[in-house]
Amino acid sequence: MKWGQPIERSVPTDLVAAFSRYLDHYRPVLLTRGGLQNLRECGALWISRKGTPLHRRTIRGRIKEHTRVAFGEHLWPHLFRDCTTTFVATEAPQQVRIIKSLLGHRKMRTSEKHYNQARSLDASRRYQQILADWLDGSVENGAHDP
């Protein structure tokens, strides 16, 4: 995690088998380079083919590559965090305090900054829609329901 802090989260049920297989089989194979070196302690979850921790740029690149294949557009790790904040801000604003623990923020101030940004974006989109509706004549002046 950012700042070198560990994070503990549950794994979704449908990923448990694959994740366990990685931890029990593939990760040790990677750490020993297929038996070419002694197993060593490594705190990193994701291991490279060289038996070293995967660099965050490599992880970012892999996420972008796989999301581009899956969705036609690449997504990057930080965008998932922004989406989480935006979702809470627009769909459950009364739950704003969960952002801190969901995203591992050290201070509530960071969560509030992201929350406020997401709320501003939501307000801007609503305002743009009101203007678009008014300009195309689909609502009368002042008759739009916010």
Side-chain angles (χ1 to χ4, degrees):
M1 287 290 299
K2 194 174 185 178
W3 312 110
Q5 294 179 337
I7 186 168
E8 187 175 316
R9 295 286 191 260
S10 11
V11 175
T13 306
D14 56 339
L15 296 178
V16 168
F19 199 65
S20 293
R21 178 79 173 143
Y22 169 75
L23 291 174
D24 297 339
H25 177 73
Y26 294 107
R27 189 172 180 279
V29 168
L30 289 167
L31 283 170
T32 62
R33 296 185 63 214
L36 296 176
Q37 65 189 32
N38 292 329
L39 184 63
R40 58 189 180 146
E41 279 296 314
C42 179
L45 175 61
W46 304 114
I47 308 301
S48 76
R49 66 177 182 231
K50 297 176 186 175
T52 58
L54 267 181
H55 193 277
R56 66 181 177 186
R57 282 180 291 198
T58 304
I59 295 170
R60 183 180 199 271
R62 299 261 174 91
I63 290 170
K64 287 175 67 176
E65 173 187 330
H66 288 285
T67 55
R68 183 181 359 260
V69 169
F71 307 121
E73 295 286 333
H74 72 262
L75 306 173
W76 52 97
H78 204 272
L79 186 57
F80 289 100
R81 296 172 63 82
D82 286 347
C83 290
T84 300
T85 304
T86 301
F87 179 81
V88 172
T90 57
E91 302 300 319
Q94 68 282 8
Q95 299 292 325
V96 66
R97 296 220 171 266
I98 68 170
I99 295 170
K100 182 176 182 275
S101 61
L102 281 174
L103 300 183
H105 289 153
R106 294 190 301 169
K107 300 176 182 172
M108 189 60 199
R109 181 175 53 214
T110 306
S111 300
E112 288 170 351
K113 180 181 91 172
H114 290 284
Y115 171 82
N116 290 337
Q117 176 183 344
R119 292 296 292 173
S120 294
L121 179 62
D122 185 45
S124 173
R125 286 181 179 153
R126 287 185 199 192
Y127 180 68
Q128 289 174 7
Q129 187 59 55
I130 290 169
L131 284 178
D133 291 348
W134 182 70
L135 289 171
D136 75 9
S138 60
V139 294
E140 293 184 28
N141 199 8
H144 198 281
D145 183 20

